[in-house]
Amino acid sequence: MYCQVIVDIVHENVAKPFTYSVPEGMELSEGQRVAVPFGRMQKEGVVIALTEQSGIDIGRIRSVIRPLEDYAAIPPELMALAKEMAGQAHCPLAETLRLMLPAQLRGGRVRPRTVKAVQLAVPREEAEDVIRQEKRAGKRIQLLTNLLDGEARPVQALSAIVKNPREALRKLEQDGLIRISEEEIMRTPEASFTEVSDPGWELTADQKDALDEILPALKSGEGRFLLHGVTGSGKTEVFMAAVKETLALGRSAIILVPEIALTPQMVSWFRGRFGAVAAVIHSRLSAGERYDEWRRILRGEARVVIGARSAVFSPVRDLGLIVIDEEHESTYLNDHRPRYDTRDTAASRCRREGATLILASATPSILSFARARRGDYMLLEMPRRVGGHPLPEVLVTDMRQELENGNRSVFSGVLHKALKDCIARNEQAILLMNRRGYNSFVSCRSCGYVVKCPNCDISMTYHTDSQSGLLRCHYCGYAQMPPSVCPECQSRYIRYFGAGTQKVEEEIRKQFPGVTVARMDYDTTSGKDGHGKILEEFRSGRARILIGTQMIAKGLDFPRVTLVGIIAADLALNLPDYRSRERAFQLFTQVAGRAGRGDRKGKVIIQTYRPEDPVIGFAARQDYRAFFESEFRRRRNSLYPPFTNLARILAESEREEAAEKAIAEMERDVRKMTEDSPALGKKVLAMVNEVPSVRFLRGKHRRQLLMKTLVSAETDELFGKITDLIAQPRDGVEVILEINPTTML
Ligand code: ADP
Ligand code: ZN
Ligand code: ZN
């Protein structure tokens, strides 16, 4: 017998499988991990095929050293998925196989936890005879008496009955009366969860309608749905019912949520609802817990898996359902190697394994909604909130007017008054101040004009960290000095947008002395469980106002919140990214959805210098459809994804000239390819060789080649060829290809 093994090495030159012989008496199966000799070293690998013939010179074949586990760590469905993904991402199979295994398994960094356990080795009668014959009830007899029922007992448990039992146990073992063995114990996280049982609600009409479509699909093992339900429409309850049905059919379910939503509250809630068949995978698990959860899933003991992106690779038995909650979140796109979009990966798994897919959101991504409209997904809509709660009222305030009236504080008159009333009524407020990264854009406080790139219709970025003080376009590299007077209205109030969450907190303290504030942003949540503590302070009601970045927009359910203020809508609208309008609309809708979830009506105030921006209008009316139509049209007219691909080849090196040289060579090669093939040439719309806005990162100089291409077979082929090109070893330069990455900094 021979086997083909993918050796776990990150090196392009060893992407292909190696043949090893299987020693007599060793049983191996596909997907099993093995230790193999590799050069003068020993390496780990995965068996991808077993064959009778070797196909190569027998004399040179070496043999497998040993299996690493006595089971296949990668089941056949995941093996097929890994192969498909490697083909699509143009990357070695070793890289996609790695996604299918818990990181700790590789390199043997975790092992099952075992304890010494003791068990009777003879029939009960025989042991009873021994006990009767003994006159004095010493340690041996006491131990034996406690083992009469034949159960295996941990040595530790016996020490509670008999002090220092080891010597006595050794004697009993020598006499052949007991057996001492290693027993495995599972490290199950949150084993002591608070019991939250099924509330047994009567489903709303919208929930029933959605389930009327989903439940039959589960039975026949098919169906792809996009569940578009407004905030508070009760989407979670729909998944729960779908999961319950999946379990009743004897199958398994995977529920994917953004990592940030995996709060302890949510975890205990799932555990409470589904008990021990639920495995919850989140970043706070220890290596051992993660490994044990993975094995519980592999063995079919856990049949509902809740986790972030990577849980889509859970080796569940008989997959029946995958749910992707908040499907519009950018965390579902993995833009490191190997690149994948969780939504596509899930769709592929569901197709292969005969399972149902549900994508859910209050603000679906442009891509998914476009697909639903085309008929790839069945659209299920839940336009009403549970319990007849109305959607909150949204007001837009014009900050240009405020400036004219002499108000230079971060709060408009309307928001200030609303905050005062909210506090007086003993209710709570959320203030959003989203600010990402250290870069900003330049805008006019008098008329709202924003400096945009003349080539790209994208706001230009001002680098607050650089000395140059230049404005740059992230897409095409165009640069210019920031204007000192506004080209539209000649005002001198034109500068970069500088305020952050801290500034908002200071203002609250000044304007509302004595009111307790909680602030949640990157700085305040970095400590262990900083996140949970801040939310707890707000949940308990100790803090009356929660200030935060986009972190606070997601899935929080605080019934006492009646006011949401979006301090600077312009910050979200003007991120230098073609998706900024989509993200801004999502952010405003999601954060507005935090207001009025209890019995009292909610109010949302959007502050902006551009009230005439259509996105502000769509958000104010909470009109997803109108937003979608407008954005879809804009993407088509300006040639942005999903109509095109934005790709970049990025070179990083400690030596600046080396990075520059690598990109120059890539540009030369790619240009040659487009010149050689006119069909391809027509599909490549733009190509720019430039210095990225982050020119130096983690000790490396960076250069990039940006490309905008139409979506086509020719350009797919081009990306394949580029992948082969960048795989060639270069001295001290790392080159990567990214297609529609989440950021291009
Ligand atoms: P969404 O995820 O769509 O924003 P949720 O699933 O958070 O909405 O549901 C909103 C609130 O309504 C939650 O507090 C939930 O527990 C509650 N809820 C959901 N379905 C029902 C129902 N059928 N009857 C009563 N309350 C419900
Ligand atoms: Zn102006
Ligand atoms: Zn540009």
Side-chain angles (χ1 to χ4, degrees), residues 50-72:
L50 289 156
T51 49
E52 298 280 344
Q53 251 88 51
S54 71
I56 54 168
D57 181 5
I58 306 271
R60 288 170 44 209
I61 294 184
R62 304 168 79 181
S63 47
V64 172
I65 298 168
R66 65 190 159 83
L68 291 169
E69 289 91 18
D70 57 7
Y71 54 88

PDB file of all heavy atoms in Angstrom, residues 50-72:
ATOM      1  N   LEU A  50      -5.018   6.929  -0.989  1.00  0.00           N
ATOM      2  CA  LEU A  50      -4.353   5.639  -0.749  1.00  0.00           C
ATOM      3  C   LEU A  50      -4.367   4.885  -2.065  1.00  0.00           C
ATOM      4  O   LEU A  50      -5.389   4.864  -2.758  1.00  0.00           O
ATOM      5  CB  LEU A  50      -5.112   4.847   0.315  1.00  0.00           C
ATOM      6  CG  LEU A  50      -4.972   5.422   1.721  1.00  0.00           C
ATOM      7  CD1 LEU A  50      -6.135   5.008   2.597  1.00  0.00           C
ATOM      8  CD2 LEU A  50      -3.645   4.994   2.349  1.00  0.00           C
ATOM      9  N   THR A  51      -3.241   4.303  -2.443  1.00  0.00           N
ATOM     10  CA  THR A  51      -3.169   3.615  -3.742  1.00  0.00           C
ATOM     11  C   THR A  51      -2.449   2.288  -3.604  1.00  0.00           C
ATOM     12  O   THR A  51      -1.649   2.090  -2.677  1.00  0.00           O
ATOM     13  CB  THR A  51      -2.399   4.467  -4.780  1.00  0.00           C
ATOM     14  OG1 THR A  51      -1.179   4.903  -4.174  1.00  0.00           O
ATOM     15  CG2 THR A  51      -3.210   5.662  -5.224  1.00  0.00           C
ATOM     16  N   GLU A  52      -2.731   1.388  -4.559  1.00  0.00           N
ATOM     17  CA  GLU A  52      -2.042   0.103  -4.591  1.00  0.00           C
ATOM     18  C   GLU A  52      -0.648   0.269  -5.182  1.00  0.00           C
ATOM     19  O   GLU A  52       0.307  -0.347  -4.744  1.00  0.00           O
ATOM     20  CB  GLU A  52      -2.826  -0.903  -5.454  1.00  0.00           C
ATOM     21  CG  GLU A  52      -4.223  -1.217  -4.953  1.00  0.00           C
ATOM     22  CD  GLU A  52      -4.210  -2.227  -3.803  1.00  0.00           C
ATOM     23  OE1 GLU A  52      -3.171  -2.891  -3.607  1.00  0.00           O
ATOM     24  OE2 GLU A  52      -5.225  -2.329  -3.097  1.00  0.00           O
ATOM     25  N   GLN A  53      -0.605   1.102  -6.231  1.00  0.00           N
ATOM     26  CA  GLN A  53       0.668   1.301  -6.918  1.00  0.00           C
ATOM     27  C   GLN A  53       1.303   2.619  -6.484  1.00  0.00           C
ATOM     28  O   GLN A  53       0.602   3.550  -6.123  1.00  0.00           O
ATOM     29  CB  GLN A  53       0.434   1.359  -8.434  1.00  0.00           C
ATOM     30  CG  GLN A  53       0.943   0.138  -9.169  1.00  0.00           C
ATOM     31  CD  GLN A  53      -0.119  -0.945  -9.210  1.00  0.00           C
ATOM     32  OE1 GLN A  53      -1.247  -0.686  -9.596  1.00  0.00           O
ATOM     33  NE2 GLN A  53       0.234  -2.155  -8.804  1.00  0.00           N
ATOM     34  N   SER A  54       2.625   2.657  -6.555  1.00  0.00           N
ATOM     35  CA  SER A  54       3.293   3.880  -6.154  1.00  0.00           C
ATOM     36  C   SER A  54       3.428   4.842  -7.322  1.00  0.00           C
ATOM     37  O   SER A  54       3.411   6.052  -7.140  1.00  0.00           O
ATOM     38  CB  SER A  54       4.684   3.563  -5.615  1.00  0.00           C
ATOM     39  OG  SER A  54       5.517   3.162  -6.678  1.00  0.00           O
ATOM     40  N   GLY A  55       3.584   4.296  -8.532  1.00  0.00           N
ATOM     41  CA  GLY A  55       3.737   5.171  -9.690  1.00  0.00           C
ATOM     42  C   GLY A  55       5.144   5.727  -9.836  1.00  0.00           C
ATOM     43  O   GLY A  55       5.476   6.355 -10.825  1.00  0.00           O
ATOM     44  N   ILE A  56       5.982   5.528  -8.836  1.00  0.00           N
ATOM     45  CA  ILE A  56       7.372   5.983  -8.988  1.00  0.00           C
ATOM     46  C   ILE A  56       8.331   4.884  -8.538  1.00  0.00           C
ATOM     47  O   ILE A  56       7.916   3.843  -8.017  1.00  0.00           O
ATOM     48  CB  ILE A  56       7.667   7.288  -8.206  1.00  0.00           C
ATOM     49  CG1 ILE A  56       7.273   7.123  -6.731  1.00  0.00           C
ATOM     50  CG2 ILE A  56       6.954   8.472  -8.829  1.00  0.00           C
ATOM     51  CD1 ILE A  56       7.792   8.230  -5.855  1.00  0.00           C
ATOM     52  N   ASP A  57       9.585   5.113  -8.772  1.00  0.00           N
ATOM     53  CA  ASP A  57      10.650   4.162  -8.469  1.00  0.00           C
ATOM     54  C   ASP A  57      10.604   3.711  -6.996  1.00  0.00           C
ATOM     55  O   ASP A  57      10.809   4.507  -6.084  1.00  0.00           O
ATOM     56  CB  ASP A  57      11.982   4.863  -8.792  1.00  0.00           C
ATOM     57  CG  ASP A  57      13.162   3.958  -8.526  1.00  0.00           C
ATOM     58  OD1 ASP A  57      12.940   2.778  -8.190  1.00  0.00           O
ATOM     59  OD2 ASP A  57      14.305   4.453  -8.644  1.00  0.00           O
ATOM     60  N   ILE A  58      10.297   2.387  -6.803  1.00  0.00           N
ATOM     61  CA  ILE A  58      10.124   1.821  -5.468  1.00  0.00           C
ATOM     62  C   ILE A  58      11.326   2.090  -4.556  1.00  0.00           C
ATOM     63  O   ILE A  58      11.179   2.395  -3.368  1.00  0.00           O
ATOM     64  CB  ILE A  58       9.921   0.285  -5.545  1.00  0.00           C
ATOM     65  CG1 ILE A  58       8.765  -0.059  -6.492  1.00  0.00           C
ATOM     66  CG2 ILE A  58       9.732  -0.321  -4.172  1.00  0.00           C
ATOM     67  CD1 ILE A  58       7.419  -0.113  -5.858  1.00  0.00           C
ATOM     68  N   GLY A  59      12.489   2.024  -5.106  1.00  0.00           N
ATOM     69  CA  GLY A  59      13.713   2.153  -4.303  1.00  0.00           C
ATOM     70  C   GLY A  59      13.795   3.475  -3.565  1.00  0.00           C
ATOM     71  O   GLY A  59      14.408   3.560  -2.503  1.00  0.00           O
ATOM     72  N   ARG A  60      13.141   4.506  -4.107  1.00  0.00           N
ATOM     73  CA  ARG A  60      13.292   5.821  -3.490  1.00  0.00           C
ATOM     74  C   ARG A  60      12.191   6.136  -2.490  1.00  0.00           C
ATOM     75  O   ARG A  60      12.214   7.181  -1.844  1.00  0.00           O
ATOM     76  CB  ARG A  60      13.331   6.886  -4.584  1.00  0.00           C
ATOM     77  CG  ARG A  60      14.634   6.845  -5.364  1.00  0.00           C
ATOM     78  CD  ARG A  60      14.579   7.739  -6.594  1.00  0.00           C
ATOM     79  NE  ARG A  60      13.964   9.030  -6.260  1.00  0.00           N
ATOM     80  CZ  ARG A  60      13.296   9.762  -7.138  1.00  0.00           C
ATOM     81  NH1 ARG A  60      13.102   9.334  -8.358  1.00  0.00           N
ATOM     82  NH2 ARG A  60      12.796  10.926  -6.785  1.00  0.00           N
ATOM     83  N   ILE A  61      11.221   5.239  -2.392  1.00  0.00           N
ATOM     84  CA  ILE A  61      10.089   5.546  -1.527  1.00  0.00           C
ATOM     85  C   ILE A  61      10.413   5.317  -0.055  1.00  0.00           C
ATOM     86  O   ILE A  61      10.960   4.288   0.320  1.00  0.00           O
ATOM     87  CB  ILE A  61       8.859   4.710  -1.930  1.00  0.00           C
ATOM     88  CG1 ILE A  61       8.402   5.149  -3.313  1.00  0.00           C
ATOM     89  CG2 ILE A  61       7.729   4.881  -0.912  1.00  0.00           C
ATOM     90  CD1 ILE A  61       7.152   4.471  -3.777  1.00  0.00           C
ATOM     91  N   ARG A  62      10.053   6.289   0.771  1.00  0.00           N
ATOM     92  CA  ARG A  62      10.241   6.120   2.213  1.00  0.00           C
ATOM     93  C   ARG A  62       8.882   5.823   2.823  1.00  0.00           C
ATOM     94  O   ARG A  62       7.851   6.014   2.191  1.00  0.00           O
ATOM     95  CB  ARG A  62      10.841   7.397   2.792  1.00  0.00           C
ATOM     96  CG  ARG A  62      12.151   7.730   2.061  1.00  0.00           C
ATOM     97  CD  ARG A  62      12.623   9.110   2.398  1.00  0.00           C
ATOM     98  NE  ARG A  62      13.287   9.145   3.701  1.00  0.00           N
ATOM     99  CZ  ARG A  62      13.773  10.277   4.229  1.00  0.00           C
ATOM    100  NH1 ARG A  62      13.660  11.417   3.581  1.00  0.00           N
ATOM    101  NH2 ARG A  62      14.363  10.257   5.408  1.00  0.00           N
ATOM    102  N   SER A  63       8.890   5.337   4.055  1.00  0.00           N
ATOM    103  CA  SER A  63       7.578   4.962   4.580  1.00  0.00           C
ATOM    104  C   SER A  63       7.085   5.883   5.685  1.00  0.00           C
ATOM    105  O   SER A  63       7.862   6.585   6.354  1.00  0.00           O
ATOM    106  CB  SER A  63       7.558   3.498   5.033  1.00  0.00           C
ATOM    107  OG  SER A  63       8.679   3.230   5.794  1.00  0.00           O
ATOM    108  N   VAL A  64       5.783   5.859   5.854  1.00  0.00           N
ATOM    109  CA  VAL A  64       5.129   6.642   6.896  1.00  0.00           C
ATOM    110  C   VAL A  64       5.683   6.210   8.245  1.00  0.00           C
ATOM    111  O   VAL A  64       5.865   5.022   8.491  1.00  0.00           O
ATOM    112  CB  VAL A  64       3.601   6.394   6.849  1.00  0.00           C
ATOM    113  CG1 VAL A  64       2.899   7.037   8.041  1.00  0.00           C
ATOM    114  CG2 VAL A  64       3.009   6.905   5.540  1.00  0.00           C
ATOM    115  N   ILE A  65       5.953   7.180   9.120  1.00  0.00           N
ATOM    116  CA  ILE A  65       6.503   6.821  10.427  1.00  0.00           C
ATOM    117  C   ILE A  65       5.390   6.322  11.359  1.00  0.00           C
ATOM    118  O   ILE A  65       5.479   5.252  11.924  1.00  0.00           O
ATOM    119  CB  ILE A  65       7.248   8.023  11.059  1.00  0.00           C
ATOM    120  CG1 ILE A  65       8.427   8.409  10.146  1.00  0.00           C
ATOM    121  CG2 ILE A  65       7.735   7.690  12.468  1.00  0.00           C
ATOM    122  CD1 ILE A  65       9.060   9.735  10.482  1.00  0.00           C
ATOM    123  N   ARG A  66       4.332   7.134  11.487  1.00  0.00           N
ATOM    124  CA  ARG A  66       3.195   6.707  12.310  1.00  0.00           C
ATOM    125  C   ARG A  66       2.004   7.634  12.066  1.00  0.00           C
ATOM    126  O   ARG A  66       2.197   8.779  11.647  1.00  0.00           O
ATOM    127  CB  ARG A  66       3.560   6.712  13.799  1.00  0.00           C
ATOM    128  CG  ARG A  66       3.849   8.074  14.334  1.00  0.00           C
ATOM    129  CD  ARG A  66       4.451   8.059  15.730  1.00  0.00           C
ATOM    130  NE  ARG A  66       5.137   9.321  15.932  1.00  0.00           N
ATOM    131  CZ  ARG A  66       4.563  10.448  16.312  1.00  0.00           C
ATOM    132  NH1 ARG A  66       3.276  10.482  16.583  1.00  0.00           N
ATOM    133  NH2 ARG A  66       5.248  11.564  16.437  1.00  0.00           N
ATOM    134  N   PRO A  67       0.808   7.134  12.324  1.00  0.00           N
ATOM    135  CA  PRO A  67      -0.325   8.048  12.263  1.00  0.00           C
ATOM    136  C   PRO A  67      -0.285   8.954  13.489  1.00  0.00           C
ATOM    137  O   PRO A  67       0.163   8.528  14.559  1.00  0.00           O
ATOM    138  CB  PRO A  67      -1.546   7.131  12.305  1.00  0.00           C
ATOM    139  CG  PRO A  67      -1.068   5.813  12.782  1.00  0.00           C
ATOM    140  CD  PRO A  67       0.424   5.752  12.621  1.00  0.00           C
ATOM    141  N   LEU A  68      -0.726  10.195  13.367  1.00  0.00           N
ATOM    142  CA  LEU A  68      -0.698  11.119  14.501  1.00  0.00           C
ATOM    143  C   LEU A  68      -1.935  10.972  15.384  1.00  0.00           C
ATOM    144  O   LEU A  68      -1.894  11.272  16.561  1.00  0.00           O
ATOM    145  CB  LEU A  68      -0.568  12.561  14.006  1.00  0.00           C
ATOM    146  CG  LEU A  68       0.795  12.874  13.390  1.00  0.00           C
ATOM    147  CD1 LEU A  68       0.763  14.215  12.672  1.00  0.00           C
ATOM    148  CD2 LEU A  68       1.891  12.885  14.457  1.00  0.00           C
ATOM    149  N   GLU A  69      -3.040  10.551  14.766  1.00  0.00           N
ATOM    150  CA  GLU A  69      -4.222  10.230  15.559  1.00  0.00           C
ATOM    151  C   GLU A  69      -4.758   8.922  15.007  1.00  0.00           C
ATOM    152  O   GLU A  69      -4.424   8.544  13.888  1.00  0.00           O
ATOM    153  CB  GLU A  69      -5.333  11.290  15.413  1.00  0.00           C
ATOM    154  CG  GLU A  69      -5.058  12.629  16.068  1.00  0.00           C
ATOM    155  CD  GLU A  69      -4.385  13.623  15.125  1.00  0.00           C
ATOM    156  OE1 GLU A  69      -4.425  13.413  13.895  1.00  0.00           O
ATOM    157  OE2 GLU A  69      -3.788  14.595  15.609  1.00  0.00           O
ATOM    158  N   ASP A  70      -5.637   8.264  15.756  1.00  0.00           N
ATOM    159  CA  ASP A  70      -6.176   7.007  15.244  1.00  0.00           C
ATOM    160  C   ASP A  70      -7.489   7.219  14.498  1.00  0.00           C
ATOM    161  O   ASP A  70      -8.276   6.305  14.341  1.00  0.00           O
ATOM    162  CB  ASP A  70      -6.316   5.969  16.365  1.00  0.00           C
ATOM    163  CG  ASP A  70      -7.183   6.480  17.497  1.00  0.00           C
ATOM    164  OD1 ASP A  70      -7.777   7.578  17.331  1.00  0.00           O
ATOM    165  OD2 ASP A  70      -7.282   5.799  18.541  1.00  0.00           O
ATOM    166  N   TYR A  71      -7.750   8.463  14.062  1.00  0.00           N
ATOM    167  CA  TYR A  71      -8.956   8.751  13.281  1.00  0.00           C
ATOM    168  C   TYR A  71      -8.582   9.761  12.196  1.00  0.00           C
ATOM    169  O   TYR A  71      -7.528  10.395  12.276  1.00  0.00           O
ATOM    170  CB  TYR A  71     -10.047   9.332  14.183  1.00  0.00           C
ATOM    171  CG  TYR A  71      -9.596  10.540  14.990  1.00  0.00           C
ATOM    172  CD1 TYR A  71      -9.695  11.820  14.458  1.00  0.00           C
ATOM    173  CD2 TYR A  71      -9.034  10.394  16.272  1.00  0.00           C
ATOM    174  CE1 TYR A  71      -9.268  12.923  15.182  1.00  0.00           C
ATOM    175  CE2 TYR A  71      -8.606  11.495  16.993  1.00  0.00           C
ATOM    176  CZ  TYR A  71      -8.729  12.759  16.445  1.00  0.00           C
ATOM    177  OH  TYR A  71      -8.307  13.857  17.147  1.00  0.00           O
ATOM    178  N   ALA A  72      -9.455   9.916  11.193  1.00  0.00           N
ATOM    179  CA  ALA A  72      -9.212  10.914  10.148  1.00  0.00           C
ATOM    180  C   ALA A  72      -9.610  12.279  10.685  1.00  0.00           C
ATOM    181  O   ALA A  72     -10.764  12.510  11.011  1.00  0.00           O
ATOM    182  CB  ALA A  72     -10.012  10.577   8.898  1.00  0.00           C
TER     183      ALA A  72
END
